[in-house]
Amino acid sequence: MSLEALNEQVKKDLSYIAHPVFNVEWVKPASHPEGHVYDVAIIGGGQSGLSTAFGLNRERITNITILDENPAGIEGPWITYARMVTLRTPKHLPSIDLGIPSLTFQSWWIAQHGQEAWNQLDKIPRNEWMNYLNWYREVLELPVQNEVKVDLIEPINDALHRLHLSGNGAKSKSILARKVVLATGIQGGGEWHVPDFIKSNLPKSLFAHTSEAIDFDDLKGKRIGILGGGASAFDNANFALSTGAKEVHTFIRRKEMVRVNPMRILEQSGLIERYHSLNDEEKYAAMLHFFKFNQPPTNDTFNRASAWEGFQVHLDSPWLDVSESEGCAVVRTPHETFTFDYLIISTGLVTDPSLRPELKQVEQYITRWRDVYKASPDISNEIIDAHPYLSKSFAFVPNCEEGKEALYGLFAFNYSALISCGVSASALSGIRYAVPKLVTAIADELFQDIKPSILKDYFEYDVIEFTGNPKIPAK
Ligand SMILES: Cc1cc2nc3c(=O)[nH]c(=O)nc-3n(C[C@H](O)[C@H](O)[C@H](O)COP(=O)(O)OP(=O)(O)OC[C@H]3O[C@@H](n4cnc5c(N)ncnc54)[C@H](O)[C@@H]3O)c2cc1C
């Protein structure tokens, strides 16, 4: 099968489930003096934003837009700052296809490379994943506006939000929407984290976080120190060595490397799909456990990195301090002091709605985990406590009467949903269970908003359907 044939198959499959043949919008348009009001604005055109849009279309909610700050085709991490060779997710997991077989990555791959190539494929190459996302967006004709950044969400009257925009793709300074989905990705609930002692002791020219653009050409023949023991640290080590770095030293605080990947048991256990039925205590404990392990590197990445002569791992080696000397970075660990030409920081992210510029006007109303659940002191974790406490379907929960109106219609479908909603928008492993929950909640809310007029139309409906003339026997 070719890609053209697959495109036809997708159309056929969708027509079998009456999509988009009966795709008549049921949500009556809202009017506003400023102009058009979208029923749903989705911030972020990565896989979460795209699949949410497809899910909404299947619910016959079509007056929607997706806004992404990046040029088309480079949304999300995949071909910018993700530096692994393949995805970490097992290749066979269904995800954003939402149950349509011809929309799976597997179908897309087989259409181009054949069944045998699929059987031989170990994990999904990350640039191919981006290509698949581009195809998905195109074949489903999803309405993405690229190079549009949402700077601020402003709640206004009548349960509407004004989204303030910037960027080359923005056709206006703002748009209006009834519902807003923050499909803003892994850092979309906070920001990437670089420890203060690095930021304050070194000039920016000597270090970068893994999430930044790094000029690896410039690092050819250089000595690099990487802080962190998670998967990204090893992705960057391998990438640097494969592009010509002389030595890469990876520093890990733990005495042993993490060998267990809790994501794999989450995928098998029912915990992803039934997470919403856990109570707060169980959710807290489950995610504390997840954070304890985090994601180890894939064997493939580790083996690739280890194959380079210049690769070294230092266990039990937290950085005690860093300083600059003669244009280099000096790193002190409990065992030794090292001098590097450049440092790459792989210390993850912090989640906290107060760090998000687009939430500036509403973050004070957002309930956090610390407001609702007090973990016992021996397990209490500040990182978890700072996460927003969301409803089962990703809605922010207001912490006061005033916040009810401000937060109404806002959904956090990003990494910050991890504690409340489990593995959902944060990884492919959970997205197929999460999107339907989000979409149902949005559809329910829209329905409630316009219920009186829908009921009025229903009661007043008088279109004649039956036109037969029954013969009435003469008396
Ligand atoms: C290095 C790395 C490797 C990963 N590997 C895997 C993996 O193998 N498997 C897996 O399941 N997950 C992986 N992840 C997690 C990964 O981030 C998610 O699975 C995936 O990217 C989530 O998709 P998303 O659509 O939610 O977010 P993203 O793909 O990050 O997309 C969000 C989009 O929103 C845009 N955006 C954010 N804020 C705004 C704004 N204010 N205005 C306009 N646009 C905005 C962003 O620029 C981005 O394009 C990895 C993450 C990283 C960082």
Side-chain angles (χ1 to χ4, degrees):
M1 189 190 258
S2 65
L3 209 48
E4 291 72 34
L6 181 66
N7 292 346
E8 285 310 309
Q9 186 63 47
V10 170
K11 287 203 178 86
K12 201 184 271 183
D13 287 351
L14 293 177
S15 77
Y16 291 159
I17 55 163
H19 177 98
V21 182
F22 296 119
N23 213 347
V24 184
E25 172 94 33
W26 55 268
V27 189
K28 305 205 169 131
S31 61
H32 193 276
E34 276 179 36
H36 186 77
V37 180
Y38 288 102
D39 291 330
V40 187
I42 300 168
I43 310 176
Q47 62 207 26
S48 294
L50 297 178
S51 53
T52 299
F54 177 45
L56 289 167
N57 280 345
R58 285 182 62 180
E59 285 291 340
R60 297 190 291 119
I61 299 167
T62 56
N63 174 23
I64 65 175
T65 187
I66 307 169
L67 308 161
D68 195 286
E69 61 197 345
N70 298 293
I74 61 163
E75 300 86 355
W78 309 114
I79 58 167
T80 48
Y81 64 89
R83 301 190 178 101
M84 66 280 191
V85 177
T86 67
L87 263 61
R88 296 157 195 156
T89 311
K91 66 175 180 179
H92 59 269
L93 275 193
S95 58
I96 56 173
D97 48 274
L98 304 189
I100 311 292
S102 54
L103 275 176
T104 57
F105 180 84
Q106 184 172 355
S107 289
W108 179 81
W109 182 271
I110 290 173
Q112 296 169 97
H113 308 290
Q115 182 65 48
E116 187 49 32
W118 173 255
N119 299 345
Q120 295 301 322
L121 185 71
D122 175 26
K123 288 204 160 68
I124 299 173
R126 70 179 160 81
N127 53 343
E128 292 292 353
W129 183 254
M130 187 76 240
N131 290 336
Y132 165 69
L133 293 180
N134 293 337
W135 169 78
Y136 177 93
R137 159 186 176 168
E138 214 175 291
V139 78
L140 293 173
E141 299 177 23
L142 299 173
V144 188
Q145 300 186 51
N146 280 101
E147 298 185 57
V148 181
K149 185 170 166 56
V150 176
D151 296 320
L152 184 72
I153 301 169
E154 179 195 0
I156 57 173
N157 294 338
D158 302 325
L160 296 181
H161 302 276
R162 186 182 289 118
L163 271 50
H164 295 257
L165 312 175
S166 62
N168 291 338
K171 295 186 196 95
S172 57
K173 286 203 168 108
S174 64
I175 57 165
L176 298 174
R178 280 169 154 152
K179 309 294 165 204
V180 180
V181 177
L182 287 140
T184 44
I186 193 159
Q187 78 283 25
E191 65 184 22
W192 295 108
H193 173 62
V194 176
D196 282 341
F197 74 96
I198 296 175
K199 284 192 283 196
S200 51
N201 289 344
L202 288 180
K204 187 67 190 68
S205 55
L206 281 181
F207 71 92
H209 189 271
T210 50
S211 61
E212 292 179 67
I214 299 174
D215 184 356
F216 281 91
D217 276 346
D218 211 38
L219 299 180
K220 280 190 169 78
K222 301 270 171 72
R223 281 167 52 94
I224 299 167
I226 298 186
L227 178 61
S232 276
F234 291 90
D235 296 337
N236 278 268
N238 182 53
F239 196 92
L241 288 161
S242 65
T243 49
K246 185 174 163 209
E247 281 177 37
V248 175
H249 296 243
T250 302
F251 294 84
I252 302 173
R253 198 176 28 200
R254 299 170 198 250
K255 291 191 167 68
E256 298 270 342
M257 279 189 66
V258 170
R259 294 186 185 276
V260 172
N261 185 348
M263 192 65 95
R264 296 293 93 87
I265 179 70
L266 283 170
E267 284 159 359
Q268 297 160 29
S269 60
L271 261 169
I272 291 184
E273 49 273 52
R274 301 272 77 78
Y275 189 85
H276 58 269
S277 63
L278 297 179
N279 63 31
D280 286 351
E281 186 184 356
E282 291 162 340
K283 286 180 179 175
Y284 201 98
M287 283 307 147
L288 193 67
H289 183 76
F290 185 72
F291 282 172
K292 205 166 76 193
F293 285 94
N294 213 329
Q295 295 254 301
T298 59
N299 287 318
D300 172 67
T301 295
F302 186 78
N303 293 339
R304 281 175 202 267
S306 302
W308 297 97
E309 216 173 281
F311 179 63
Q312 283 190 46
V313 178
H314 302 270
L315 292 168
D316 187 25
S317 296
W319 288 1
L320 300 179
D321 64 52
V322 296
S323 56
E324 185 192 2
S325 172
E326 296 174 6
C328 292
V330 178
V331 171
R332 194 164 64 83
T333 75
H335 313 290
E336 227 177 305
T337 298
F338 298 83
T339 301
F340 293 112
D341 298 302
Y342 199 69
L343 304 180
I344 298 179
I345 313 302
S346 184
T347 41
L349 51 98
V350 281
T351 294
D352 182 346
S354 66
L355 297 170
R356 298 305 308 171
E358 64 271 14
L359 293 179
K360 203 168 157 208
Q361 288 203 358
V362 296
E363 68 83 16
Q364 71 269 32
Y365 305 123
I366 296 173
T367 303
R368 317 303 214 264
W369 265 79
R370 62 172 172 262
D371 302 327
V372 175
Y373 180 72
K374 299 267 175 278
S376 65
D378 52 321
I379 63 158
S380 165
N381 179 299
E382 277 179 19
I383 297 172
I384 293 185
D385 293 342
H387 278 69
Y389 186 90
L390 305 173
S391 76
K392 285 180 179 173
S393 42
F394 303 92
F396 286 115
V397 174
N399 57 15
C400 62
E401 205 50 39
E402 209 185 339
K404 273 190 186 161
E405 208 179 327
L407 294 180
Y408 184 70
L410 290 188
F411 296 83
F413 198 60
N414 55 29
Y415 203 73
S416 73
L418 188 66
I419 316 300
S420 301
C421 306
V423 175
S424 45
S426 38
L428 284 166
S429 315
I431 202 162
R432 75 177 153 140
Y433 306 108
V435 169
K437 287 180 191 143
L438 171 70
V439 165
T440 302
I442 295 172
D444 282 353
E445 224 181 77
L446 283 168
F447 180 78
Q448 288 299 322
D449 293 348
I450 58 166
K451 189 173 59 180
S453 90
I454 288 187
L455 284 174
K456 179 171 177 290
D457 288 355
Y458 169 68
F459 291 127
E460 290 176 358
Y461 180 75
D462 60 0
V463 175
I464 305 280
E465 179 171 295
F466 174 66
T467 54
N469 284 318
K471 285 190 183 137
I472 315 276
K475 282 196 185 142

